[in-house]
Amino acid sequence: MKERLQKLISRSGLMSRRKAEEAIRQGQVTVDGRPAQLGESADPEREEIRVAGEPISFSSPVRTLMLNKPTGYICSMKDPQGRRVVSDLLPDEFGRLYPVGRLDYNTEGLLLLTNDGALAQHLTHPRHHVPKTYLVKVRGYLGLPGQKKLESGVRLDDGLTAPAKISNLRRSGRNCWFELTLREGRNRQVRRMCEAVGLPVVRLKRVALGGLSLGELESGTCRLLTEGELVDLKKISGL
Ligand code: URA
């Protein structure tokens, strides 16, 4: 498939899109041996693209990063309905990375993206029970009976939920906030659990996953995981 040269080059991980444009302008980029023009597209499966004489390669290094997903984005690489997708928020030079699991369109917070298929599979496999913590704001107040239900298991239309943990419960006017830690990941699980105890969710943000926490990462930005975080993540996911 044809793609703009500067995009292809940055997707290969060699340099940013802007630097690739500069390289094209400076005549360092060739397509099948002839100097490329800015704005030109090429098909890397049919044409040989070189930068400063070196062919570009798409066997990109294994990368895992954390994104603070804003609301209003879907966890997908492309959306047929034209909605914004999380991959729009990633710099091209990270290459193609895939979301690990999902956060709803209206959920924000910690989302991992990776090109490490084994890691993604282990993290999302129900057998590994990787804990996920959500900061939840609901309309109404979570009393002791509701808290006990959420913690011991709520009956949803796809069965009883596994034990969960509630912490940092606090009231704020007509709403309340708490943190909910789950070890399973069913579709819209937090929203459905809260609805089952009569509390509609008004805001939902994932703040931790495995041993990782979102920390001060700004909404809409991402960062690569550190070596230490990767080691811990692999351990917790059973790899
Ligand atoms: N639970 C939900 O209800 N939504 C999410 O996005 C994640 C967990």
Side-chain angles (χ1 to χ4, degrees):
M1 201 178 79
K2 282 204 177 229
E3 215 174 324
R4 292 262 175 178
L5 273 174
Q6 61 268 38
K7 196 159 180 205
L8 276 173
I9 295 167
S10 68
R11 196 157 65 66
S12 78
L14 194 63
M15 57 182 72
S16 68
R17 204 187 288 203
R18 189 157 302 156
K19 289 231 167 82
E21 285 174 359
E22 224 173 276
I24 297 170
R25 266 195 217 101
Q26 288 171 359
Q28 291 173 14
V29 179
T30 56
V31 177
D32 283 344
R34 56 165 182 79
Q37 301 298 312
L38 192 60
E40 188 176 334
S41 297
D43 180 347
E45 287 184 7
R46 293 160 193 270
E47 291 160 297
E48 190 190 51
I49 303 154
R50 289 180 179 249
V51 179
E54 290 299 317
I56 62 166
S57 140
F58 289 93
S59 52
S60 49
V62 176
R63 288 197 177 99
T64 303
L65 58 81
M66 163 192 306
L67 169 75
N68 184 350
K69 175 194 173 297
T71 58
Y73 282 80
I74 65 163
C75 286
S76 173
M77 302 303 284
K78 258 203 174 128
D79 181 45
Q81 293 171 43
R83 288 172 300 178
R84 292 182 295 185
V85 292
V86 288
S87 57
D88 295 344
L89 296 165
L90 310 181
D92 293 332
E93 60 264 35
F94 286 146
R96 276 198 217 286
L97 299 176
Y98 299 90
V100 178
R102 284 176 179 274
L103 289 177
D104 301 335
Y105 185 74
N106 283 325
T107 301
E108 51 194 304
L110 198 165
L111 180 71
L112 288 181
L113 293 114
T114 189
N115 54 4
D116 182 340
L119 179 66
Q121 212 179 7
H122 274 244
L123 283 170
T124 48
H125 198 288
R127 177 159 32 102
H128 300 299
H129 307 293
V130 176
K132 299 165 202 92
T133 301
Y134 296 87
L135 177 63
V136 192
K137 180 183 183 187
V138 293
R139 193 164 317 121
Y141 190 67
L142 177 66
L144 207 54
Q147 177 169 350
K148 282 199 166 143
K149 264 195 196 166
L150 291 179
E151 287 186 325
S152 57
V154 183
R155 188 156 301 283
L156 301 178
D157 52 14
D158 51 0
L160 194 65
T161 59
K165 208 180 124 212
I166 304 280
S167 58
N168 290 330
L169 174 61
R170 59 221 182 262
R171 201 191 277 256
S172 159
R174 279 195 242 155
N175 304 310
C176 74
W177 293 83
F178 53 89
E179 283 176 25
L180 177 65
T181 302
L182 303 176
R183 287 178 177 270
E184 43 179 10
R186 304 190 209 169
N187 191 27
R188 300 186 67 254
Q189 184 165 351
V190 176
R191 293 176 197 276
R192 290 190 296 138
M193 285 172 74
C194 293
E195 273 157 26
V197 296
L199 299 170
V201 169
V202 262
R203 191 166 171 196
L204 184 57
K205 179 176 187 177
R206 184 154 68 193
V207 291
L209 186 154
L212 300 171
S213 49
L214 192 59
E216 300 297 310
L217 189 65
E218 263 187 55
S219 178
T221 66
C222 61
R223 69 164 175 86
L224 285 167
L225 297 195
T226 64
E227 277 305 313
E229 286 174 328
L230 272 173
V231 168
D232 291 348
L233 200 60
K234 285 183 181 171
K235 217 180 275 169
I236 208 163
S237 70
L239 260 180

